[in-house]
Amino acid sequence: MDFGHTIRGIRHTFPHLAGLMASATPFRSGDALAGIAAKSAEERVAAQYVLADLPLKVFLNDLLIPYETDEVTRLIVDTHDSDSFAPIASLTVGEFRDWLLSDSATSDRLVALAPGLTPEMVAAVSKVMRIQDLIKVASRIRVVTRFRTTVGLPGRLSTRLQPNHPTDDAAGIAASLLDGLLLGSGDAVIGINPVSDSPATVTRLLRMIEAVRERYGIPAQSCVLAHITTQLAAIEQGAPLDLLFQSIAGSEAANSSFGVNLGLLKEGHEAAQTLNRGGTCADGTMGKNLMYFETGQGSALSANAHRGVNGAKIDQQTLEARAYAVARHFSPMLVNTVVGFIGPEYLYDGKQITRAALEDHFCGKLLGLPMGCDICYTNHAEADQDDMDSILTLLGAAGVNYIMGVPGADDIMLNYQSTSFHDALYIRSLLRLQPAPEFEAWMRCDGIARLRSDAAKGIDALDSLVERRLPG
């Protein structure tokens, strides 16, 4: 197939599908670092013209990473649902964009379409869409998951309460935990990034959260974001594990750099299922979604794991979308793109981080995932909290499932800037959103009243929480 387009008498040609996808991508520093960004705005427009005229069926045959050498590719191909794909099988990428923006693309139709879409298809269509397009389409898609709370319902916005501490100190974690709960955070998950990746630390922290949860009757789920093998070892030690966490990427090589593969994820999923810790949700159903995945544009490039057929380099946004195929396979409770965390080498400034956040959310939702976002940046990026406010507001309009709740928006352990408990209150108030129904009911009951009473006692409340944790 000829990947070429003429503008002002100049013929722009692209040697392969990977090069076309990279050139059509709105500019970002990571693709420039990899040497695959369009050389000019004119070349980018030419690539977008070619991509818009490309039939969606091409992505089923012209694979970016070989089937024989990459298990993520095999997963994408082997699980593709041709019946779900049939309604749009005759469309080009541009025609698919037009259909997505039409009144025909109802919420029910978009949900039914998800199994028939490949990550490459949704990445392609996102490259020819404006910011408002990404928001409009994503806002129509509701992906609802359940454990002890129900996340993703219309009119709801959940949060991950992230009480990290630079030494895993129990009193410091308890202080952040109290602060977040009293400000309405934690209905997506209470999730701690541990300093020490050891089964003993994971078990100790999970037991602490469990003691608090049981004491106040909190409908929430916990997670300690250690490596999956560490969490499996903690399960063997009797840890009260709710959600099983792992960072994932869009190629087998990138996942290998994380020390994971599909087989290990399957083993973890099965182990978590045996614990049977999900609760009864507001609609009477049992919560059975129990995986938590984090992703981020640039992870494959940073691991030098971004090459495809004949060594062709693949752009970071397409590889990010491929990570969502891995997540989708395990019906997760939560997925979030940690959008600005890897640094300015991959997303240089607020403009690039904004575009990436909305692309990731759109692509994940279109593939059927319960997408959240860690709206964040590192301190050496050309971004600030005003950029984060803008992204938060845009994602709120786009129907994001959940965001992060970090004390003061400043994670003192991971040393990056995110969103705060108060930011969640802002966006809920602005858009008239509520927490998950189970959590909202708890906030109106005696449980939070007792928590508020204990918190008024100051340090005594922290001591009480720390004392009541089970020893690790």
Side-chain angles (χ1 to χ4, degrees), residues 56 60 79-88 110-119 121-122 328 366-367:
L56 289 173
L60 298 177
T79 60
H80 181 252
D81 188 331
S82 57
D83 291 337
S84 298
F85 179 61
I88 61 165
L110 290 169
V111 170
L113 183 63
L117 296 174
T118 69
M121 292 176 191
V122 301
R328 179 171 63 175
L366 203 52
L367 288 167

Side-chain angles (χ1 to χ4, degrees), residues 229-290:
T229 54
T230 306
Q231 294 168 84
L232 286 171
I235 290 175
E236 293 178 357
Q237 294 182 4
L241 185 143
D242 290 338
L243 302 186
L244 190 73
F245 166 82
Q246 182 57 48
S247 293
I248 55 173
S251 71
E252 180 176 339
N255 283 322
S256 294
S257 75
F258 290 156
V260 298
N261 54 44
L262 296 179
L264 181 57
L265 294 176
K266 181 175 183 290
E267 178 187 345
H269 185 238
E270 291 173 349
Q273 284 179 310
T274 64
L275 299 178
N276 196 31
R277 289 180 54 81
T280 302
C281 297
D283 62 356
T285 59
M286 290 296 293
K288 295 184 178 180
N289 302 108
L290 40 75

Side-chain angles (χ1 to χ4, degrees), residues 11-22:
R11 183 71 174 173
H12 297 271
T13 60
F14 309 95
H16 39 61
L17 183 57
L20 173 65
M21 293 279 279

Side-chain angles (χ1 to χ4, degrees), residues 112-190:
L113 183 63
L117 296 174
T118 69
E120 292 83 358
M121 292 176 191
V122 301
V125 75
S126 74
K127 296 176 191 297
V128 297
M129 299 179 84
R130 296 171 57 183
I131 291 287
Q132 63 177 255
D133 300 339
L134 300 172
I135 293 171
K136 180 179 179 181
V137 176
S139 69
R140 294 174 176 172
I141 307 171
R142 307 307 308 188
V143 182
V144 179
T145 54
R146 297 172 175 85
F147 196 80
R148 291 192 189 94
T149 59
T150 306
V151 174
L153 292 168
R156 306 279 175 173
L157 175 70
S158 296
T159 60
R160 169 188 162 190
L161 202 173
Q162 186 171 310
N164 296 343
H165 192 277
T167 63
D168 291 333
D169 177 71
I173 291 171
S176 296
L177 187 58
L178 274 173
D179 190 21
L181 289 169
L182 290 172
L183 289 169
S185 281
D187 55 322
V189 64
I190 298 170

